[in-house]
């Protein structure tokens, strides 16, 4: 199922979807995410962050036909074109070219999007099944009557107008394969609500820090055992 963001909202413009099957025997080089550990934090320069947002929009239009390797190639090209440099820091000892940091960052970022997609589709699963099995056989007409048309004999008056709009839009996306919106306040309410780009960025950076810290710990333990 594809993923998109509702055009009526002002949340992130980032969209995503399933990757195409991976290329066999791929050995594409991983790009580098800038890191800094002077204050034990992972960071990306403001310039790099702005370019990252632009990259997200570029990927959104192509992701359904991209493999994961294609995605990483695009990120590699993005970093090369924008000359985002690594900050020299202790993490270089376990990740000299930044490839581990970069891979971890984007895997975390994409995992968060996939988790949101899965949560949203699970939330609407019963309504989706109802639409598929409607007596008329016309699922789109059914959801229009239930969520948009007060004069229909099966209009759901127990929802607020805003919730009906969201339900209709999400079900229509699921039925047509055009992409569920990731900033759904109803489907994601139980899990803390929709994440902003900034929140996902911070979570991904923390994943990088945790990964590199673990590698440093493993290296130190290995040294002590010798």
């Amino acid at each position: 199922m594809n993923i998109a963001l509702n055009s009526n909202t002002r949340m992130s413009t980032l969209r995503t979807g399933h990757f195409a099957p991976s290329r066999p025997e791929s050995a594409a080089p991983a790009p580098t995410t800038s890191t800094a550990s002077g204050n034990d934090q992972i960071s990306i320069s403001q310039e790099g962050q702005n370019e990252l947002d632009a990259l997200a929009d570029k990927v959104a239009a192509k992701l359904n036909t991209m493999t994961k390797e294609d995605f990483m190639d695009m990120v590699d090209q993005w970093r090369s074109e924008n000359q985002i440099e690594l900050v020299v820091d202790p993490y270089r000892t376990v990740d000299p070219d930044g490839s581990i940091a970069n891979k971890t960052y984007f895997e975390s970022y994409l995992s968060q999007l996939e988790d949101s997609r899965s949560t949203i589709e699970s939330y609407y699963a019963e309504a989706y099944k109802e639409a598929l099995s409607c007596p008329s056989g016309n699922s789109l007409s059914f959801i229009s009557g239930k969520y948009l048309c007060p004069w229909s004999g099966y209009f759901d008056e127990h929802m607020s107008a805003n919730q009906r709009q969201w339900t209709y839009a999400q079900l229509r996306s699921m039925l047509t394969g055009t992409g569920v919106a990731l900033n759904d306040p109803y489907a994601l309410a139980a899990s803390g609500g929709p994440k902003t780009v900034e929140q996902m960025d911070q979570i991904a950076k923390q994943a990088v820090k945790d990964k590199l810290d673990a590698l440093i710990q493993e290296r130190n333990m290995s040294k002590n055992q010798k």
Side-chain angles (χ1 to χ4, degrees), residues 50-136:
N50 292 340
E51 294 297 341
L52 178 59
D53 292 341
L55 173 68
D57 290 334
K58 182 178 179 181
V59 168
K62 298 183 179 180
L63 200 52
N64 291 329
T65 59
M66 295 173 65
T67 65
K68 289 186 178 180
E69 293 87 351
D70 292 333
F71 175 78
M72 296 309 293
D73 288 347
M74 180 178 288
V75 175
D76 191 25
Q77 180 180 0
W78 160 77
R79 182 186 178 280
S80 176
E81 291 175 351
N82 292 284
Q83 299 180 340
I84 306 302
E85 297 295 335
L86 262 177
V87 176
V88 177
D89 60 73
Y91 288 136
R92 281 280 187 99
T93 61
V94 292
D95 188 21
D97 63 354
S99 60
I100 296 174
N102 186 81
K103 182 174 184 290
T104 303
Y105 179 92
F106 283 103
E107 284 181 345
S108 173
Y109 206 98
L110 293 172
S111 177
Q112 294 176 70
L113 294 171
E114 179 63 18
D115 287 346
S116 293
R117 179 203 64 80
S118 179
T119 299
I120 291 167
E121 291 188 355
S122 294
Y123 180 85
Y124 291 108
E126 290 303 317
Y128 177 68
K129 290 179 182 177
E130 180 186 36
L132 287 177
S133 59
C134 66
S136 68

Side-chain angles (χ1 to χ4, degrees), residues 146-214:
K146 183 166 185 178
Y147 303 108
L148 300 182
C149 304
W151 57 86
S152 73
Y154 48 93
F155 179 70
D156 191 341
E157 60 184 14
H158 301 294
M159 290 183 177
S160 67
N162 191 53
Q163 187 174 5
R164 282 195 298 269
Q165 286 285 345
W166 269 102
T167 302
Y168 171 79
Q170 297 290 54
L171 289 176
R172 182 177 177 84
S173 294
M174 293 171 70
L175 290 167
T176 60
T178 55
V180 296
L182 291 184
N183 50 343
D184 187 327
Y186 300 99
L188 298 175
S191 57
K195 293 177 183 175
T196 65
V197 169
E198 291 76 15
Q199 288 173 322
M200 292 190 291
D201 173 65
Q202 288 303 315
I203 291 171
K205 287 175 183 176
Q206 185 62 46
V208 173
K209 182 181 183 303
D210 292 345
K211 176 67 174 180
L212 297 181
D213 284 345

